[in-house]
Amino acid sequence: MSAEAADREAATGSRPCTPPQTSWFEFLLDEGLLEKHLQGSSPDPSPVQLVIQFLEQASKPSVNEQNQVQPPADNRRNRTLKLLALKVSAHLKWDLDVLEKGLSIPVLNMLLNELLCVSKVPPGVKHVDLDLSSLPPTTAMAVLIYNRWAIRTIVLSSFPEKQAKPGPHQMNMLNLVQQEKELTENILKVLKEQADDSIRVLEGVLHIKKDFYIHTLRTLDLLAADPCTANGETECSTAGLRISADELHCQVHYDLGAIFFQQGFSDPSACEKAREFIEHPSKFKYLSNELDSRALHCHLDEKRLAGYWNACRVLTGTSDPGDAQLLPYGLINSYIKTKNFQALIETFIQDNMSLSFPNYFRQSILREFLHQVQQGDRTLDEVCHKLCVCNAVRDALEGQVLSVRFSQLLFKPRKQMIDFLMEVCAKSVDKKSSSETSKRNMAFFLRTLCESLQDPSLLLIVSSHELFTGLLADEEQKCLLDQIKKKSTNVSHCSKPLPTFYDIPASASVNIGQLEHQLILSLDARRIRQILIELHGMAERPFWRVNSKWEIPSDYISVILGIKDNLTRDLVYILLAKGLHCITIKDFVHARQLFSACLELVTEFSPKLRQVMLNEMLLLDIRAHEAGAGPGGSRERPPADLVSRVRGYLEMRIHDVPLRQIVGEECVAFMLNWRENEYLTLQVPQSLVQSNNYVKLGQLLAATCKELPGPKESRRTAKDLWEVVLQICSVSTQHKRASDGRVSLIKQRESTVGIMPRSKFVTFIKKLREPLVLTTLISLFVRLHSIVRDDIVNEVTAEHLSIWPTTIPNLQSVDVEAVAVTVKELVTYALSLNPNNHSWLITQADIYFVTNQYSTALHYYLQAGAVCSDFFSKAVPPDVYTDQVTSRPRLSE
């Protein structure tokens, strides 16, 4: 063995060898391969993936000689593929939990229809009209599995589902997703129309006392060996996997209970039926335990079963508060129904320790009572106050912002309320078992409470409480009490305080006004979300309209206002609007926080908005870096990651994502400012240059700057840039016939010939900061200005003038006024970035001189000389004060 071969063998032997994935067609070639594959410990592809591959290949349309698309052929290959899919499902024992998790609704519908076919279910006959007891066991079982799946699918489709995050946006992939979505909706429509029939089929199964049989790999092999298999004309008697009647009845009871519970939202009587089918969870548990040793087909979700049971008892009014089986949510509903408010409040206090209920549930209970108070039931006022206190203590323990309603209670506190508050606090914190974070948060809450109370007697209740003395350090207590004494002294010397805004009686409209005011002021994303949740609990209206200053780009309006959920729409709109405002005022820290929160939110449901937010965050990072690198900044090079993201944006090809033109402008300007000339001239895709005018302009500028100061090379690239700028500064002409019949020529300032209007070109120029790029543009416009003025005596000077053409073929097409305005704007902008650039100062002086503003021209000539000579402490270089400058007439006048 050679040394090279030995090295190769050692290299391959040192790492584990992963076997290649078995392809679907290999199972067609080797009949025994499928069983061997499925018996492996971790088969690759997995059983569910195999089902998808087999059915996908079997359902592919064919193309005839006339290139016409035909339905899938009914041939031996496709029949074998369908049979292989059934055999894999048989290996999984037709477990609908597994199949539903791994297969889409269209694929599972295709699979079960094939099962009906091979099981000899009479075609064209409704399942509800079949007598299952007289059918062969495997046939009856196929009907049963299909109808169980039908009602389970209806139930599952009613649950809110988190959308899967898609990969790269490819148009053909999006089309496939859309097609599958439409197919799924059509299947669901049919299943819902036939739901009553499916329910009757399952109810009929409960009257059958004999055992059922389900297809196995062996029975399906027997079907494959029969020449009539394709038509489903053979049956294998009772061969197959035996499913006991008890096991089947247990599963069917569970499925029927689920469908009736789902129908209970629109039909209250269905809840009673659901309760009858679900019966008592303990009975189910006993039956399932009895079946555990031999159960093959019965799979119950015990937690969901218990949830169904308790919900049905609450909804049907048969719950008993003393029932040990009742879940915490059931207890709460029971207390509300029986008006046992003291027990309800005690449960809320206990929950401050156990944290069993989420905050939104606790808030919803409070809102329910508040609604009844607003309807006129004033007896519930005290209950509302106590629930509000309990929720406030829970918020305090978790370090959350306290609600507006609790803050209102503190403006006019009563002794009973403070006593109750301290009681709740004491019961909500245990010195031994509570976490350090909870204790710290409670201490902060008590300190804040003392600072907000004005009445000395109420302050004494808090400061003398054992919880206060136990959680706050002695130094902290002493300091706080000193502050309180000073504050009370100041208050005693004041006259009667003026009524405040909060003295107005609390009402829904006042609360909404306060919350909207907080919404306008807040820059904390979590607080904004909390405020919107409270606002939507009080009124349903578009709160993104609260502040007319909240503006988002018109490109995004249709996408954001198209969000169906009102709360989410308001939140996305406001977070984006506030973030954009923060960028405008250069508050990049808050802008980044707001955009990050918005990105996290939209990622969950909208790939389109996710890309929008990624683009806006890129623009934010560009502007934040440019602001730091501006005058007085650090002028550090941007991180490689930011440069890479800019390149990624420029090359992005997602057609259905709204793109703001300004993002593209900023990206090109960014690349020019940081001399990424190699990318713009050599690496940028040519298709991008043709489709994006800013990229085209950036490439021409980069190429020209790259070739400087070599006159020969730069002239070739400079000519292309010259032609583009010349078209931007041209005027479009229009002929108009006067009343006397003569034709006159009308000039229009904005030409449609150039790659962009002059106004947008100037806006883009003012994003540039790289001195060489600005010098190149100044040079170009100075040359253009000199040609259109045609004044040899009074010329304007600049660097690199030799690279530009000296004549213009069609001089009449150039807008002379636009050129003059642009060159002046450009030089003024450049000097605002660097007022000590002597070349730009001389150009500015020349411009003022040729326009007869001699005093201003002299000012800039002197400034240029001062910059180059250390305020004339040494001689001014001759290339600054040239003969042309020193011989200028009228400068000495």
Side-chain angles (χ1 to χ4, degrees):
M1 182 186 290
S2 67
E4 184 180 348
D7 290 342
R8 251 196 329 268
E9 185 176 344
T12 55
S14 63
R15 60 178 181 267
C17 182
T18 304
Q21 189 182 65
T22 310
S23 298
W24 63 269
F25 61 82
E26 295 181 53
F27 297 99
L28 290 173
L29 304 175
D30 184 353
E31 292 183 2
L33 179 60
L34 180 63
E35 199 162 349
K36 292 178 187 175
H37 179 83
L38 294 174
Q39 288 172 353
S41 57
S42 297
D44 186 20
S46 68
V48 169
Q49 289 172 332
L50 278 178
V51 173
I52 295 171
Q53 291 177 19
F54 291 150
L55 292 179
E56 182 182 355
Q57 295 299 325
S59 60
K60 274 190 174 180
S62 56
V63 180
N64 61 16
E65 294 177 356
Q66 287 77 35
N67 206 27
Q68 296 173 329
V69 177
Q70 301 292 320
D74 184 16
N75 53 30
R76 182 181 175 185
R77 169 189 175 275
N78 288 347
R79 287 196 297 271
T80 304
L81 285 167
K82 292 175 184 177
L83 190 64
L84 287 171
L86 292 173
K87 290 172 76 173
V88 175
S89 305
H91 168 77
L92 296 172
K93 296 183 174 62
W94 301 98
D95 187 339
L96 288 179
D97 287 333
V98 175
L99 294 173
E100 287 167 346
K101 187 176 181 180
L103 303 179
S104 65
I105 290 176
V107 173
L108 193 45
N109 180 63
M110 189 189 311
L111 176 71
L112 295 181
N113 274 292
E114 192 61 30
L115 174 64
L116 295 174
C117 178
V118 301
S119 300
K120 204 180 110 179
V121 176
V125 180
K126 284 187 175 183
H127 292 177
V128 72
D129 296 332
L130 295 172
D131 182 6
L132 297 186
S133 61
S134 64
L135 291 175
T138 50
T139 305
M141 194 64 187
V143 173
L144 176 60
I145 290 174
Y146 179 85
N147 286 280
R148 275 192 58 223
W149 168 74
I151 65 171
R152 284 165 62 100
T153 302
I154 293 170
V155 172
L156 289 173
S157 69
S158 67
F159 295 161
E161 197 173 69
K162 184 178 177 180
Q163 294 183 357
K165 296 177 184 178
H169 289 243
Q170 299 172 354
M171 290 307 295
N172 55 349
M173 182 62 72
L174 289 175
N175 289 337
L176 289 174
V177 171
Q178 184 61 31
Q179 288 173 16
E180 182 169 315
K181 183 181 177 183
E182 291 174 359
L183 186 56
T184 300
E185 289 173 352
N186 292 335
I187 293 171
L188 280 172
K189 183 180 178 183
V190 173
L191 294 180
K192 288 175 181 177
E193 289 172 354
Q194 299 175 353
D196 290 340
D197 287 351
S198 293
I199 290 171
R200 287 167 59 193
V201 168
L202 296 184
E203 287 176 332
V205 169
L206 298 177
H207 301 295
I208 301 175
K209 304 302 180 185
K210 65 180 182 180
D211 295 339
F212 287 75
Y213 289 81
I214 190 169
H215 278 300
T216 62
L217 272 75
R218 177 177 169 274
T219 60
L220 291 169
D221 277 333
L222 290 172
L223 287 172
D226 193 301
C228 302
T229 296
N231 298 322
E233 294 177 2
T234 62
E235 184 54 53
C236 302
S237 178
T238 58
L241 184 66
R242 177 177 168 273
I243 308 294
S244 71
D246 286 342
E247 182 181 351
L248 200 60
H249 290 174
C250 184
Q251 184 68 61
V252 170
H253 268 87
Y254 178 83
D255 292 335
L256 285 172
I259 186 68
F260 280 124
F261 182 82
Q262 189 262 341
Q263 292 179 350
F265 294 104
S266 55
D267 179 12
S269 63
C271 286
E272 186 63 43
K273 290 182 181 178
R275 192 180 68 84
E276 291 172 5
F277 278 108
I278 291 173
E279 298 181 359
H280 203 288
S282 60
K283 294 181 183 178
F284 261 97
K285 193 169 184 180
Y286 170 77
L287 181 56
S288 61
N289 287 340
E290 287 288 306
L291 296 169
D292 267 348
S293 58
R294 62 185 193 281
L296 298 169
H297 199 68
C298 183
H299 302 283
L300 305 180
D301 185 337
E302 290 186 11
K303 287 185 178 179
R304 179 165 288 179
L305 175 63
Y308 281 146
W309 171 248
N310 283 286
C312 286
R313 295 190 69 191
V314 169
L315 293 171
T316 56
T318 58
S319 59
D320 178 9
D323 191 345
Q325 290 287 333
L326 214 55
L327 289 174
Y329 291 97
L331 280 172
I332 293 292
N333 281 287
S334 176
Y335 293 148
I336 293 173
K337 279 183 177 292
T338 58
K339 297 189 177 182
N340 189 353
F341 300 133
Q342 185 59 40
L344 175 66
I345 292 165
E346 286 297 330
T347 304
F348 268 51
I349 296 173
Q350 292 168 13
D351 183 62
N352 286 344
M353 289 281 287
S354 63
L355 306 179
S356 302
F357 301 119
N359 268 323
Y360 65 82
F361 175 75
R362 295 171 60 116
Q363 294 294 342
S364 69
I365 297 296
L366 174 58
R367 279 198 294 271
E368 187 176 330
F369 282 103
L370 288 170
H371 177 71
Q372 293 181 45
V373 170
Q374 289 175 355
Q375 297 299 315
D377 190 352
R378 308 303 302 182
T379 59
L380 296 177
D381 267 339
E382 193 67 23
V383 178
C384 290
H385 291 163
K386 289 186 175 181
L387 289 177
C388 181
V389 168
C390 292
N391 287 345
V393 173
R394 167 72 175 268
D395 289 337
L397 287 168
E398 294 183 340
Q400 302 291 331
V401 179
L402 301 180
S403 69
V404 174
R405 187 167 298 279
F406 178 72
S407 301
Q408 284 182 323
L409 289 178
L410 289 183
F411 280 113
K412 285 189 175 181
R414 294 176 293 118
K415 180 180 181 300
Q416 293 87 343
M417 193 268 283
I418 297 298
D419 285 335
F420 178 73
L421 173 60
M422 296 310 298
E423 177 190 344
V424 174
C425 290
K427 290 181 178 180
S428 301
V429 175
D430 187 278
K431 292 182 181 179
K432 295 180 180 178
S433 61
S434 294
S435 67
E436 289 301 318
T437 303
S438 296
K439 293 177 186 176
R440 204 162 41 245
N441 289 338
M442 178 56 72
F444 178 77
F445 172 69
L446 294 175
R447 189 166 60 248
T448 307
L449 179 62
C450 286
E451 291 171 351
S452 63
L453 293 173
Q454 302 290 339
D455 189 331
S457 62
L458 299 180
L459 279 168
L460 184 61
I461 294 174
V462 179
S463 59
S464 62
H465 198 281
E466 61 178 354
L467 185 65
F468 180 88
T469 56
L471 292 179
L472 275 74
D474 293 341
E475 288 286 333
E476 201 172 8
Q477 291 180 46
K478 184 176 181 302
C479 181
L480 184 60
L481 291 173
D482 288 343
Q483 290 178 9
I484 292 168
K485 286 177 183 177
K486 288 179 182 178
K487 183 169 66 173
S488 61
T489 304
N490 292 337
V491 170
S492 64
H493 286 88
C494 291
S495 58
K496 184 179 178 181
L498 294 171
T500 65
F501 171 77
Y502 294 100
D503 290 325
I504 303 170
S507 66
S509 60
V510 173
N511 291 341
I512 290 175
Q514 292 171 1
L515 287 171
E516 287 179 344
H517 181 67
Q518 290 185 34
L519 187 64
I520 292 171
L521 296 179
S522 180
L523 289 175
D524 181 82
R526 289 179 62 189
R527 180 60 186 147
I528 291 168
R529 180 177 177 276
Q530 288 176 340
I531 293 170
L532 283 172
I533 290 172
E534 291 192 48
L535 284 170
H536 277 271
M538 297 177 181
E540 276 298 327
R541 63 171 187 250
F543 289 100
W544 58 269
R545 294 179 176 173
V546 166
N547 188 358
S548 60
K549 303 290 184 183
W550 289 338
E551 294 179 355
I552 62 172
S554 57
D555 311 77
Y556 302 158
I557 286 178
S558 61
V559 182
I560 293 176
L561 296 187
I563 298 173
K564 293 181 180 178
D565 181 71
N566 294 335
L567 174 61
T568 306
R569 180 176 61 236
D570 286 349
L571 186 54
V572 172
Y573 188 103
I574 292 170
L575 289 176
L576 179 57
K578 282 177 175 283
L580 291 171
H581 173 71
C582 287
I583 294 176
T584 305
I585 61 175
K586 292 186 171 17
D587 183 359
F588 299 113
V589 173
H590 279 114
R592 188 169 283 107
Q593 292 171 356
L594 291 162
F595 279 2
S596 297
C598 193
L599 174 63
E600 183 180 354
L601 174 65
V602 300
T603 297
E604 298 297 325
F605 67 91
S606 175
K608 187 183 294 187
L609 280 174
R610 178 180 180 274
Q611 190 58 55
V612 164
M613 289 313 304
L614 288 174
N615 295 345
E616 289 300 321
M617 289 192 78
L618 172 62
L619 181 59
L620 162 64
D621 290 340
I622 289 174
R623 288 186 171 174
H625 189 271
E626 295 297 281
S634 61
R635 193 62 186 172
E636 291 180 359
R637 276 199 64 80
D641 172 67
L642 181 55
V643 177
S644 176
R645 287 166 58 201
V646 171
R647 291 184 179 188
Y649 177 87
L650 290 174
E651 297 173 13
M652 184 172 59
R653 287 290 173 273
I654 304 177
H655 299 287
D656 62 337
V657 174
L659 300 176
R660 280 214 290 162
Q661 176 183 294
I662 193 170
V663 184
E665 286 182 50
E666 293 276 0
C667 285
V668 175
F670 177 89
M671 300 298 272
L672 287 169
N673 287 336
W674 295 103
R675 295 199 175 192
E676 290 290 330
N677 295 335
E678 287 292 326
Y679 172 78
L680 288 171
T681 54
L682 300 176
Q683 299 174 26
V684 67
Q686 195 57 34
S687 58
L688 181 61
V689 176
Q690 300 299 326
S691 61
N692 190 319
N693 291 329
Y694 290 98
V695 175
K696 182 177 182 179
L697 180 59
Q699 186 183 65
L700 292 172
L701 278 167
T704 305
C705 293
K706 186 181 173 184
E707 298 297 338
L708 288 173
K712 291 185 179 178
E713 293 79 11
S714 60
R715 280 178 180 170
R716 286 198 298 270
T717 55
K719 185 178 180 184
D720 295 334
L721 178 60
W722 172 271
E723 294 293 339
V724 166
V725 173
L726 196 62
Q727 287 183 339
I728 291 172
C729 293
S730 337
V731 288
S732 57
T733 56
Q734 178 182 348
H735 295 277
K736 182 178 179 182
R737 187 175 297 276
S739 56
D740 58 358
R742 290 181 299 176
V743 176
S744 60
L745 193 66
I746 300 176
K747 286 188 177 181
Q748 296 177 334
R749 292 301 178 202
E750 290 286 344
S751 170
T752 56
V753 179
I755 61 174
M756 65 184 71
R758 190 188 71 86
S759 56
K760 290 187 176 180
F761 175 71
V762 173
T763 302
F764 174 75
I765 288 174
K766 291 183 179 180
K767 299 180 190 298
L768 303 174
R769 291 185 298 98
E770 168 55 34
L772 185 58
V773 176
L774 290 171
T775 297
T776 303
L777 283 168
I778 289 172
S779 173
L780 186 154
F781 273 94
V782 165
R783 169 65 77 192
L784 188 56
H785 185 249
S786 298
I787 293 174
V788 296
R789 282 186 67 256
D790 195 22
D791 186 351
I792 300 174
V793 177
N794 294 321
E795 283 192 342
V796 179
T797 58
E799 294 179 81
H800 311 303
L801 287 175
S802 60
I803 67 173
W804 309 111
T806 55
T807 58
I808 299 174
N810 187 9
L811 194 59
Q812 291 77 17
S813 65
V814 180
D815 189 340
V816 178
E817 183 182 342
V819 171
V821 170
T822 304
V823 70
K824 194 168 183 178
E825 277 187 78
L826 179 53
V827 178
T828 303
Y829 167 70
L831 286 172
S832 70
L833 298 176
N834 183 7
N836 296 324
N837 186 306
H838 65 84
S839 174
W840 297 347
L841 287 168
I842 291 292
T843 302
Q844 182 78 306
D846 287 346
I847 291 170
Y848 279 110
F849 183 84
V850 300
T851 53
N852 302 326
Q853 299 179 64
Y854 305 116
S855 175
T856 309
L858 180 59
H859 166 79
Y860 281 101
Y861 284 131
L862 290 173
Q863 192 172 338
V867 165
C868 296
S869 63
D870 195 14
F871 291 93
F872 301 104
S873 61
K874 51 189 176 184
V876 177
D879 60 335
V880 176
Y881 280 175
T882 60
D883 292 341
Q884 180 177 327
V885 172
T886 54
S887 61
R888 291 278 193 199
R890 304 192 181 185
L891 285 179
S892 56
E893 293 179 4

